[in-house]
Amino acid sequence: MTVEMDKIVSLCKRRGIIFQNSEIYGGIGNTWDYGPIGVELKRNVKDAWWKSVVYERDDMEGLDAAILMNPATWKASGHLESFTDPLVDCKKCKHRFKLDDINGDRCPDCGGELTEERSFNLMFKTFIGPVEDNASVAYLRPETAQGIFVNFLNVQKMMRRKIPFGIAQIGKSFRNEITPGNFTFRTREFEQMEIEYFVKPGTDEECYKRWVEERFNWYLDLGINKEHLRLREHESDELAHYAKSCVDIEYLFPMGWAELEGIANRGDFDLRQHSEHSGKDLCYFDEAAKEKYIPYVIEPSAGADRATLAFLIDSYREEKVKKEKRVVLAFKNCLAPIKVAVLPLLRNRPDIVETARSIAGDLRREFKAVYDDTASIGRLYRRQDEIGTPYCITVDVQSMDDHQVTVRDRDSMQQVRVPIEGIKAYLKDCHAQEKLVERGNK
Ligand code: GAP
């Protein structure tokens, strides 16, 4: 049983993780801002992804393409024509629904009569320059993928890559979703972490399977409970217009199983379309085999916001400690927004405060470290537990004599005394230990 979404939303607000966007004006539906703690968490999620798919592999390159693209891109990609949701409206209560969400032919809210279905394009349209006419129409990209396809030859040639190789990109995408909701699960502006992996036709299915396994394990390695993850193969009638096959990695969100990441075999659809529409030959020439072909593409496509939400939900724990409720976000160290908090036991003792500040200053060079003396030690611990800080260092009266501090472990709440000069090495060691455990679990 996972935690209710309301608890996550309220914790996120209370602890500076996620705020409602433009809240002072009453907000704008289903749009969220990452606060000081949330921005660190989401950045750690993106860094963990980049490390795993770019730095730890020798067959990947990175890219950061623009959000606005030549609109011809969207004609070629099929998004102008096919990136639509069929909609119906209730004639009585005026509520709007995706046809997919309706069972039967009456309004699910009031039982009223429904209109005929209409197609609604999910792309946000805008205009470049001062004149709002057809010649100046542009779209906010609905997926980062197309920025990769149009750069396929640039990357392949300039980086002297041989197939198979892939391109990874993290960036914002925009969709005028009809039914956004469930906190950051479905929003109109979101961040994607996408890979387009180019392979020789015929080797695609095997490569597709490898990526599914690789990406599934990524979530497990970062601490998601195996029971909360599953794979779901798409039926042929739900495949996107470009996909030969697709499997979703689903997570057990509070509202039920839902897509976390999709891995698709896009065949040669995109490169072929872009070749035809641009008139540029996007074939790959295999020097050794003297063969020319349009590569097939395997696409693992994840959402940075959705993954962040899943890590938040999965790490949420409520415990009873001395008859009091303790809320903990039990993140893996690498995801924790703050790695260590330094807390003085007495804030009216200048020597204790100075020592604590100096330890925090020193640690800051290596870890995301904070100093906090704004409450009693019990409250400070609770605050750090709720944002998932794995270690708290307390400087007390005894520290002034023995030059040792207390290190408290978030999960076990066990405390050990560590010499001040050895604290950095101690924390580095804890981090290394966690990595070893991860590797053992694989
Ligand atoms: N290039 C393929 C593609 O965009 P998708 O399944 O539509 O595929 C991939 O999107 C991932 O992007 C999803 O698995 C999800 O994590 C994230 N995503 C898609 N739409 C989203 C939305 N409206 N809000 C938040 N995340 C979204």
Side-chain angles (χ1 to χ4, degrees):
M1 183 53 200
T2 56
V3 55
E4 303 93 74
M5 195 71 98
D6 286 353
K7 279 196 179 167
I8 296 291
V9 177
S10 116
L11 173 69
C12 282
K13 161 118 206 228
R14 192 166 75 240
R15 292 298 179 207
I17 303 173
I18 299 173
F19 303 127
Q20 188 185 16
N21 170 273
S22 26
E23 191 179 7
I24 59 168
Y25 291 105
I28 172 168
N30 298 293
T31 309
W32 305 93
D33 297 340
Y34 290 83
I37 302 300
V39 68
E40 298 297 335
L41 174 62
K42 187 171 160 191
R43 182 172 291 189
N44 291 342
V45 170
K46 290 188 284 185
D47 284 352
W49 183 84
W50 194 264
K51 180 165 169 283
S52 146
V53 305
V54 181
Y55 295 160
E56 289 179 357
R57 301 179 62 110
D58 65 0
D59 56 352
M60 293 287 298
E61 300 286 353
L63 185 76
D64 185 4
I67 288 170
L68 297 175
M69 301 182 72
N70 187 313
T73 309
W74 307 114
K75 185 152 174 42
S77 70
H79 282 82
L80 270 176
E81 201 170 291
S82 309
F83 198 56
T84 53
D85 264 346
L87 291 186
V88 288
D89 291 302
C90 172
K91 290 183 180 169
K92 198 166 149 204
C93 70
K94 309 290 179 211
H95 287 174
R96 181 162 288 172
F97 305 94
K98 273 160 87 164
L99 193 64
D100 298 353
D101 297 339
I102 300 256
N103 272 329
D105 56 0
R106 308 297 293 188
C107 170
D109 289 350
C110 74
E113 196 186 336
L114 298 170
T115 59
E116 289 285 303
E117 69 174 86
R118 298 177 290 119
S119 270
F120 173 77
N121 195 297
L122 296 178
M123 282 197 293
F124 276 99
K125 201 186 226 179
T126 187
F127 300 93
I128 289 180
V131 185
E132 296 193 1
D133 63 8
N134 277 344
S136 63
V137 165
Y139 299 91
L140 304 187
R141 66 179 176 201
E143 59 171 16
T144 62
Q146 298 304 323
I148 299 181
F149 293 129
V150 298
N151 276 299
F152 162 67
L153 269 194
N154 280 340
V155 175
Q156 188 262 316
K157 290 222 154 82
M158 306 313 155
M159 306 314 285
R160 301 168 307 281
R161 280 289 180 180
K162 289 193 171 58
I163 274 178
F165 78 97
I167 304 176
Q169 172 167 233
I170 300 178
K172 289 264 179 165
S173 292
F174 302 82
R175 294 182 191 176
N176 203 354
E177 299 279 5
I178 315 304
T179 48
N182 289 313
F183 199 24
T184 54
F185 176 81
R186 181 170 286 112
T187 51
R188 296 194 173 96
E189 173 182 344
F190 54 96
E191 222 167 344
Q192 289 188 305
M193 308 188 289
E194 296 204 291
I195 296 164
E196 307 303 327
Y197 195 82
F198 303 95
V199 301
K200 186 174 179 180
T203 63
D204 47 314
E205 275 306 301
E206 198 208 320
C207 177
Y208 169 67
K209 287 195 190 105
R210 273 205 311 271
W211 270 113
V212 172
E213 201 182 308
E214 176 96 0
R215 294 299 309 140
F216 194 87
N217 284 340
W218 184 77
Y219 294 98
L220 291 181
D221 289 349
L222 288 175
I224 300 262
N225 181 342
K226 206 172 184 170
E227 306 288 305
H228 299 162
L229 276 183
R230 72 176 189 193
L231 292 174
R232 191 183 67 83
E233 198 87 40
H234 278 215
E235 303 290 334
S236 56
D237 61 353
E238 60 172 324
L239 285 174
H241 62 271
Y242 49 74
K244 252 178 85 178
S245 45
C246 186
V247 64
D248 285 346
I249 299 177
E250 292 192 331
Y251 176 71
L252 186 56
F253 285 95
M255 67 281 185
W257 288 99
E259 176 186 346
L260 196 51
E261 166 162 355
I263 298 135
N265 181 344
R266 291 178 82 127
D268 62 3
F269 176 84
D270 302 273
L271 290 181
R272 188 174 289 283
Q273 286 289 107
H274 286 304
S275 286
E276 280 168 17
H277 284 248
S278 67
K280 301 276 183 314
D281 184 3
L282 298 181
C283 283
Y284 168 79
F285 183 66
D286 182 339
E287 298 271 358
K290 302 276 176 263
E291 248 186 299
K292 197 174 160 185
Y293 59 84
I294 296 187
Y296 274 22
V297 173
I298 307 303
E299 179 193 62
S301 172
D305 307 272
R306 235 175 241 190
T308 302
L309 181 60
F311 289 121
L312 270 167
I313 293 167
D314 222 72
S315 64
Y316 185 93
R317 314 263 183 279
E318 269 180 26
E319 304 166 357
K320 270 254 150 37
V321 177
K322 293 189 197 136
K323 297 203 179 134
E324 283 209 23
K325 186 169 92 176
R326 178 173 96 115
V327 171
V328 186
L329 290 181
F331 291 128
K332 287 262 170 178
N333 287 1
C334 65
L335 292 184
I338 310 283
K339 309 298 179 202
V340 56
V342 187
L343 318 169
L345 194 69
L346 300 170
R347 59 183 148 156
N348 53 2
R349 276 274 303 257
D351 51 346
I352 293 182
V353 166
E354 194 189 322
T355 305
R357 279 195 185 278
S358 136
I359 294 173
D362 191 35
L363 289 176
R364 243 176 232 130
R365 274 178 262 239
E366 301 268 346
F367 308 99
K368 173 75 182 152
V370 294
Y371 167 88
D372 194 359
D373 66 4
T374 55
S376 67
I377 194 72
R379 280 177 155 233
L380 293 178
Y381 280 152
R382 203 165 335 138
R383 194 182 286 170
Q384 295 302 329
D385 285 344
E386 289 197 358
I387 58 171
T389 306
Y391 307 104
C392 286
I393 295 175
T394 309
V395 182
D396 53 25
V397 179
Q398 203 188 330
S399 309
M400 299 300 101
D401 291 332
D402 65 6
H403 302 286
Q404 295 195 355
V405 288
T406 300
V407 181
R408 171 188 180 267
D409 178 88
R410 176 196 65 205
D411 299 334
S412 66
M413 287 186 289
Q414 276 178 359
Q415 306 194 353
V416 288
R417 294 292 281 180
V418 177
I420 292 176
E421 68 271 16
I423 201 79
K424 207 184 269 180
Y426 179 85
L427 291 174
K428 275 190 185 162
D429 193 46
C430 291
H431 202 65
Q433 290 296 334
E434 189 188 63
K435 280 215 181 105
L436 282 182
V437 174
E438 252 169 54
R439 224 158 277 149
N441 280 347
K442 259 201 169 173

